[in-house]
Amino acid sequence: MNAEPERKFGVVVVGVGRAGSVRIRDLRNPHASSAFLNLIGFVSRRELGNIDEVQQISLENALSSPEVEVAYICSESSSHEDYIRWFLNAGKHVLVEYPMTLSWEAAQDLWKLAEQKGKVLHEEHVELLMEEFAFLKKEVVGKDLLKGSLLFTAGPLEEERFGFPAFSGISRLTWLVSLFGELSLISATLEERKEDQHMKMTVCLETENKRPLTWIEEKGPGLKRNRHLSFHFKSGSLENMPNVGVNKNIFLKDQNIFVQKLLGQFSEKELAAEKKRILHCLWLAEEIQKYCYSKK
């Protein structure tokens, strides 16, 4: 990616919330990967005109324009599936913020569609590019897990827009799968007080070696965004995360990975392993959702 680009891929950003705004900023700044990309405009349901000299264009124009070769899908999760399908069918490459879809089956269909069209479909996972994850990966390598837990707290989130908690919290599940391999669902519960905007999801998982992992998502007014973890190994324990530094440019690092895929710099083996992990996490999220609903 250090070479001078022979061509630039025209990009449109769909959705200009937090993630979309960061994507636009990174595309406009001079970075190694941005040199391969040309920001054409953004798509939004709101009438915004221009943002920092970047023009708003209609969805129809974004889909039909031969200039647009890439779509960054940064809208709310409930709309991801439709946008991915529309842009792939229009012959565009797609980068989408996680979760790709709110259904395992839909994700499989979209991956088949991307393969049929010969296009890159990339699901962002900035949580795997964080300093905390790099620290954890080093800490757990070669160790024999006995049991573990991961608790995440945050303010309320609208399920209609962002999906069931196992989907909106899929970055935590991705951490666990990336650290300990594929997991099985043992049980799950969802406690809700809708009048207070409070919910708590408790999920009991098991590694392939039958080691228990507990994942808890708790959201409600006044709850600070925080992660608490506890991993017990035969050789000792890891309780909570030390301060391992600031996460810098994680969306830009994700863009670098996407551009490498556009340029064919990822092996088939690497792409297949990533796809397997993403589909496994989406499958687990759906199984958790089904389990919780079956108990209601």
Side-chain angles (χ1 to χ4, degrees):
M1 203 165 63
N2 297 328
E4 195 63 30
E6 291 176 20
R7 60 178 295 240
K8 289 192 172 199
F9 294 85
V11 182
V12 67
V13 175
V14 180
V16 286
R18 180 180 150 267
S21 300
V22 172
R23 294 294 188 182
I24 288 172
R25 181 200 70 197
D26 286 344
L27 284 160
R28 295 188 74 223
N29 287 338
H31 302 296
S33 57
S34 302
F36 291 85
L37 304 165
N38 175 34
L39 179 57
I40 307 282
F42 69 88
V43 173
S44 177
R45 288 178 313 202
R46 296 171 287 162
E47 286 296 328
L48 298 171
N50 288 0
I51 297 177
D52 294 333
E53 300 172 17
V54 181
Q55 64 171 346
Q56 181 168 3
I57 60 175
S58 70
L59 176 62
E60 293 72 24
N61 283 354
L63 290 166
S64 63
S65 170
E67 273 190 279
V68 175
E69 299 167 273
V70 169
Y72 283 15
I73 311 298
C74 309
S75 55
E76 52 206 31
S77 307
S78 57
S79 66
H80 287 181
E81 182 184 339
D82 286 342
Y83 279 128
I84 296 170
R85 200 177 300 280
W86 293 334
F87 278 101
L88 286 177
N89 276 320
K92 321 292 187 188
H93 301 283
V94 173
L95 175 153
V96 61
E97 310 298 349
Y98 72 74
M100 177 191 300
T101 61
L102 301 178
S103 145
W104 172 67
E105 198 175 325
Q108 285 188 304
D109 289 346
L110 291 172
W111 231 301
K112 281 178 194 161
L113 179 60
E115 285 160 7
Q116 285 164 12
K117 296 283 182 181
K119 297 299 168 188
V120 171
L121 174 56
H122 170 81
E123 185 185 48
E124 161 267 308
H125 277 286
V126 292
E127 75 280 11
L128 299 181
L129 305 173
M130 291 177 166
E131 297 295 330
E132 293 95 329
F133 181 73
F135 168 82
L136 282 178
K137 197 81 177 157
K138 282 181 192 165
E139 281 292 310
V140 308
V141 71
K143 290 183 181 174
D144 191 354
L145 180 76
L146 297 175
K147 64 177 181 176
S149 65
L150 175 57
L151 161 66
F152 180 77
T153 60
L157 206 58
E158 289 176 56
E159 191 173 321
E160 296 75 23
R161 294 170 62 202
F162 298 101
F164 184 79
F167 283 99
S168 60
I170 206 161
S171 63
R172 266 74 68 190
L173 193 52
T174 303
W175 262 26
L176 293 175
V177 168
S178 299
L179 291 170
F180 303 112
E182 293 197 348
L183 303 172
S184 304
L185 175 63
I186 304 303
S187 66
T189 57
L190 180 67
E191 305 162 53
E192 288 183 292
R193 296 196 309 272
K194 290 199 171 173
E195 67 279 7
D196 299 332
Q197 291 183 286
H198 182 272
M199 81 86 204
K200 183 178 181 182
M201 178 184 74
T202 305
V203 181
C204 296
L205 300 158
E206 201 173 67
T207 67
E208 288 178 332
N209 292 335
K210 306 291 183 191
R211 304 302 194 192
L213 283 169
T214 305
W215 170 34
I216 300 170
E217 293 273 309
E218 186 169 10
K219 290 176 182 164
L223 285 176
K224 287 185 178 172
R225 191 177 176 85
N226 222 326
R227 215 185 269 111
H228 306 274
L229 55 86
S230 171
F231 297 133
H232 295 271
F233 306 97
K234 278 187 177 173
S235 57
S237 298
L238 178 64
E239 299 279 352
N240 288 319
M241 182 74 73
N243 188 345
V244 289
V246 179
N247 292 306
K248 287 183 182 173
N249 299 325
I250 50 177
F251 282 91
L252 180 59
K253 288 174 185 172
D254 178 70
Q255 178 176 279
N256 294 345
I257 293 167
F258 176 63
V259 167
Q260 286 176 296
K261 289 179 182 178
L262 289 178
L263 299 174
Q265 294 174 352
F266 268 72
S267 70
E268 289 298 318
K269 188 179 176 185
E270 288 171 308
L271 293 171
E274 183 187 58
K275 175 183 170 183
K276 189 179 182 216
R277 186 205 75 225
I278 288 170
L279 286 174
H280 176 66
C281 290
L282 288 168
W283 174 78
L284 268 178
E286 193 166 280
E287 290 298 299
I288 293 164
Q289 182 176 9
K290 284 179 192 168
Y291 198 101
C292 288
Y293 284 162
S294 72
K295 297 295 172 189
K296 283 196 170 185

